[in-house]
Amino acid sequence: DQLLDSRLPALGREGLRGEHGLCNAVIVSPPGAPFLARWLEAYRTFDGSQWAEHSVALPMRLAKAQPADIRLLEAEAFFWPLWDDAALRRLLLYREYGFERNFATHLWSQAARPYVLSLWSPRFAAAVPSALNCRTRMLPQ
């Protein structure tokens, strides 16, 4: 399929137009990808107080420097909806989000925890008809 038929790693943009960078929550890649090796090497200088620098901003800079080594996907591929209040409400509390363009869905656990993730369970998923709960009900048991 279009996600796996490539010799390049695929990462999704984070933000409406990728303005935050490339998110590391979902990476689809063949083994030994040079892009990922360069990124991993850069983690030698990782500073936990600046998490987003290495995990979101740096991969975008690396992708711009070596664009032939990576496939950049739109945010909808993995990281949509975003972590803002309105988007999380549509995903977690209401049935106002479709997943037509998603390969995966990042749940933004820190931002989403106040809504429902701390309460989420199979029983909650069965009882509350939110977009995410309706989606997970479609998964094989």
Side-chain angles (χ1 to χ4, degrees), residues 62-79:
L62 293 172
K64 287 180 178 180
Q66 300 275 321
D69 286 351
I70 187 168
R71 283 188 308 148
L72 300 180
L73 304 178
E74 296 304 318
E76 292 91 344
F78 303 133
F79 309 112

Side-chain angles (χ1 to χ4, degrees), residues 23-133:
C23 189
N24 68 351
V26 178
I27 300 170
V28 178
S29 177
F35 176 86
L36 295 180
R38 283 193 303 278
W39 188 10
L40 181 60
E41 177 64 26
Y43 264 89
R44 289 179 185 242
T45 61
F46 181 74
D47 176 354
S49 68
Q50 299 290 318
W51 177 88
E53 168 57 29
H54 276 79
S55 301
V56 179
L58 176 62
M60 181 59 93
R61 288 195 305 275
L62 293 172
K64 287 180 178 180
Q66 300 275 321
D69 286 351
I70 187 168
R71 283 188 308 148
L72 300 180
L73 304 178
E74 296 304 318
E76 292 91 344
F78 303 133
F79 309 112
W80 203 260
L82 285 174
W83 62 87
D84 62 277
D85 185 66
L88 288 175
R89 286 180 178 278
R90 287 194 312 273
L91 177 67
L92 300 171
L93 299 177
Y94 310 115
R95 194 172 181 177
E96 297 178 358
Y97 182 74
F99 295 87
E100 295 81 16
R101 297 182 66 185
N102 291 74
F103 289 111
T105 303
H106 189 333
L107 296 181
W108 311 107
S109 63
Q110 287 185 332
R113 189 167 285 114
Y115 292 98
V116 297
L117 286 187
S118 60
L119 304 172
W120 204 83
S121 67
R123 187 173 182 185
F124 181 85
V128 176
S130 72
L132 178 63
N133 292 346

